[in-house]
């Protein structure tokens, strides 16, 4: 649908790399705030409950509970005022929009943590090998320590 | 000289300024335009530049159009308009090509085009009437205009009463749109705000005459 000339213009005001985060993630959004002359960074922490739009108009909604009251802020993803987005925790969710969290309170708001993505076969093999290596070296160290202890006891006798 | 070009509406989007403000913009594909003719006071009674934009197949053009384009060694054009000038134009002659670079350093432009056609529209859409109430005894007259004037005296409807009728598809000029960006490599002009017509519609863009 989108015209390539339109994309050319949009790309110029888009961030080159957008921090990777997903729906359900708990994030810290670093927002640049101008106070008179000074600029400082304010952090808004909460759960990403929606992402919408495309191109320069992409927005995301972050929800958090402040003093028992739900607070939602909608941020433009490509705005220069958004300095950084850091993922603190990944949530396991089955929906693109988590509006159902609005009806929940207390413990029910919590989301199950998402496990890191399944490894590819090769990566899994490498991880296994590394683990074995670690175990091996630990065994060796243990044996060496035992030998040293035995030697020490023999020497004292 | 009043700078002007012909072009086409690409579409709307938004761009961010450095301070984070989002600016709603329209992207226009402007030029390159061929100067087909220079109107002079001696011959034509007024000064203007006649520009042509977007080539047309020769087979689709009639003999008159082909001959007119041949005079300046160009292809027949799909969209031809004149940019009226206050005085005689210097430094630009027939056959020359103008690109979007002419807008470099210009702060604001006027954009003229043909608005989207709405067909036969009622008074609410066409004139912004409020219509009648939704309830309290209103009977199937919710979007009607109401009265169109007094009764026995003058016993006729006064001229100029706003009525339903054809709406849109007319020449509209939007004045004083700020130029956000000029991109000569892609022939793009980015202006703040909306311009008339659908995406892909032909437009005339002129340096603003608003002070």
């Amino acid at each position: 649908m989108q015209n390539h000339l339109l994309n050319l213009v949009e790309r110029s005001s888009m961030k080159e790399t957008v921090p990777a985060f997903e729906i359900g993630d708990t994030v810290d959004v670093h927002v640049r705030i101008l106070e008179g002359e000074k600029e400082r960074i304010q952090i808004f922490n909460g759960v990403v409950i929606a992402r919408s739009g495309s191109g320069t108009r992409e927005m995301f909604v972050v929800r958090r509970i402040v003093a028992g009251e739900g607070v939602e802020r909608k941020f433009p993803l490509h705005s220069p005022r958004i300095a950084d987005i850091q993922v603190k925790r990944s949530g396991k969710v089955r929906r693109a929009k988590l509006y159902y969290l609005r009806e929940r309170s207390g413990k029910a708001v919590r989301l199950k943590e998402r496990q890191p993505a399944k490894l590819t076969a090769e990566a899994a093999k490498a991880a296994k090998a590394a683990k074995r290596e670690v175990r091996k070296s630990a065994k060796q160290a243990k044996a060496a320590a035992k030998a040293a202890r035995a030697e020490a006891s023999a020497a004292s006798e | 000289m009043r700078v002007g070009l012909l072009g086409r509406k690409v579409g709307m989007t938004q761009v961010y300024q450095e301070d984070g403000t989002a600016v709603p913009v329209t992207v226009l594909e402007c030029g390159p335009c061929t100067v087909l003719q220079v109107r002079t006071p001696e011959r034509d009674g007024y000064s203007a530049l006649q520009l042509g934009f977007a080539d047309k197949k020769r087979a689709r053009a009639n003999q008159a159009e082909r001959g007119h384009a041949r005079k300046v060694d160009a292809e027949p054009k799909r969209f031809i308009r004149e940019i009226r000038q206050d005085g005689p134009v210097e430094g630009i002659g027939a056959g020359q090509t103008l690109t979007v670079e002419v807008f470099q350093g210009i702060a604001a432009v006027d954009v003229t085009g043909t608005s989207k056609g709405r067909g036969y529209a009622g008074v609410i859409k066409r004139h912004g009437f409020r219509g009648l109430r939704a309830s309290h005894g209103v009977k199937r007259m919710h979007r009607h205009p109401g009265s169109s004037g007094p009764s026995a005296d003058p016993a006729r409807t006064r001229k100029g009463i706003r009525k339903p009728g054809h709406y849109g598809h007319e020449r509209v000029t939007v004045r004083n749109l700020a130029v956000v960006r000029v991109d000569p490599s892609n022939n793009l002009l980015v202006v703040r705000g909306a311009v008339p017509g659908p995406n892909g519609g032909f437009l005339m863009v002129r340096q603003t005459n608003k002070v």
Side-chain angles (χ1 to χ4, degrees):
Chain A
M1 264 308 276
Q2 279 264 312
N3 187 298
H4 77 281
L5 291 173
L6 209 56
N7 286 338
L8 277 177
V9 174
E10 282 200 351
R11 213 172 299 143
S12 65
S13 71
M14 274 160 74
K15 285 176 185 168
E16 274 166 26
T17 51
V18 173
F21 65 94
E22 280 174 42
I23 310 293
D25 288 359
T26 305
V27 293
D28 276 354
V29 184
H30 295 238
V31 191
R32 289 205 179 94
I33 287 182
L34 264 181
E35 273 177 351
E37 293 288 286
K38 266 192 189 165
E39 194 188 78
R40 72 184 182 83
I41 286 190
Q42 192 186 57
I43 295 173
F44 188 84
N45 171 274
V47 181
V48 179
I49 63 164
R51 266 175 101 151
S52 60
S54 62
T56 51
R57 297 171 303 275
E58 185 162 353
M59 310 281 274
F60 64 100
V61 184
V62 179
R63 178 181 172 87
R64 67 171 300 181
I65 307 291
V66 179
E69 191 67 43
V71 174
E72 283 179 15
R73 266 185 88 174
K74 193 169 188 177
F75 298 101
L77 185 59
H78 292 283
S79 168
R81 290 228 185 114
I82 307 295
D84 195 13
I85 303 163
Q86 285 174 356
V87 178
K88 291 287 155 187
R89 191 171 179 277
S90 301
K92 187 176 170 188
V93 293
R94 304 177 71 162
R95 240 147 278 262
K97 314 275 184 218
L98 308 183
Y99 297 142
Y100 67 87
L101 291 180
R102 290 172 179 167
E103 274 101 59
R104 300 198 179 176
S105 61
K107 282 187 179 178
V109 176
R110 292 171 307 166
L111 296 171
K112 253 192 196 156
E113 186 143 13
R114 179 159 46 86
Q115 295 308 317
K118 243 188 184 169
L119 300 165
T120 60
E122 241 170 81
K125 218 182 228 173
K128 217 171 179 182
K131 228 177 194 173
R132 200 181 300 133
E133 210 52 46
V134 167
R135 244 194 323 247
K136 217 174 175 180
S137 60
K139 223 176 192 173
Q140 271 168 359
K142 216 172 169 183
K146 203 175 175 184
R149 248 201 323 273
E151 219 167 87
S153 62
S156 67
E157 271 173 23
Chain B
M1 185 197 138
R2 195 176 180 201
V3 168
L5 269 190
L6 309 180
R8 197 181 248 152
K9 176 169 164 182
V10 173
M12 288 195 75
T13 179
Q14 66 180 31
V15 294
Y16 289 105
Q17 283 175 344
E18 275 163 31
D19 63 347
T21 341
V23 186
V25 295
T26 308
V27 181
L28 314 176
E29 187 185 0
C30 266
C33 293
T34 312
V35 181
L36 294 174
Q37 201 176 15
V38 180
R39 301 275 188 198
T40 56
E42 298 80 60
R43 194 183 58 217
D44 308 295
Y46 62 96
S47 300
L49 287 180
Q50 191 187 74
L51 303 181
F53 173 70
D55 287 349
K56 184 152 124 176
K57 273 187 189 167
R58 282 186 197 173
R60 295 265 166 80
N62 59 33
Q63 283 296 339
E65 287 168 342
R66 274 188 256 176
H68 189 55
R70 205 184 305 129
K71 271 185 205 160
V72 294
D73 209 12
E75 290 294 308
K77 300 293 178 188
R78 279 184 68 184
F79 188 60
I80 299 171
R81 288 290 181 276
E82 287 184 6
I83 311 286
R84 194 69 184 261
Q85 303 294 334
D86 297 330
V89 189
E90 279 160 29
I92 293 181
Q96 210 172 323
T97 305
L98 300 179
T99 65
V100 76
E101 281 174 51
V102 297
F103 287 116
Q104 225 119 37
I106 282 172
V109 292
D110 295 343
V111 180
T112 304
T114 306
S115 64
K116 283 184 184 172
R118 266 89 176 178
Y120 193 95
V123 286
I124 292 185
K125 187 187 275 278
R126 192 175 185 220
H127 300 298
F129 282 17
R130 292 187 184 133
L132 273 54
R133 304 180 75 163
S135 66
H136 289 282
V138 176
K139 234 176 172 182
R140 298 178 290 281
M141 302 285 259
H142 309 288
R143 292 179 67 90
H144 277 237
S147 165
S148 51
S151 175
D153 180 19
R156 63 186 171 87
T157 310
R158 299 226 189 258
K159 279 186 179 175
I161 294 289
R162 291 170 295 170
K163 290 280 180 96
H166 190 272
Y167 177 43
H169 198 268
E170 57 180 349
R171 182 183 157 112
V172 174
T173 304
V174 182
R175 296 175 72 195
N176 215 13
L177 296 173
V179 174
V180 176
R181 193 179 300 161
V182 179
D183 180 357
S185 58
N186 297 304
N187 291 319
L188 295 181
L189 179 72
V190 182
V191 298
R192 189 199 161 100
V195 307
N199 292 348
F202 286 119
L203 300 166
M204 176 159 66
V205 186
R206 287 170 294 178
Q207 173 185 3
T208 189
N209 61 359
K210 195 158 181 156
V211 276

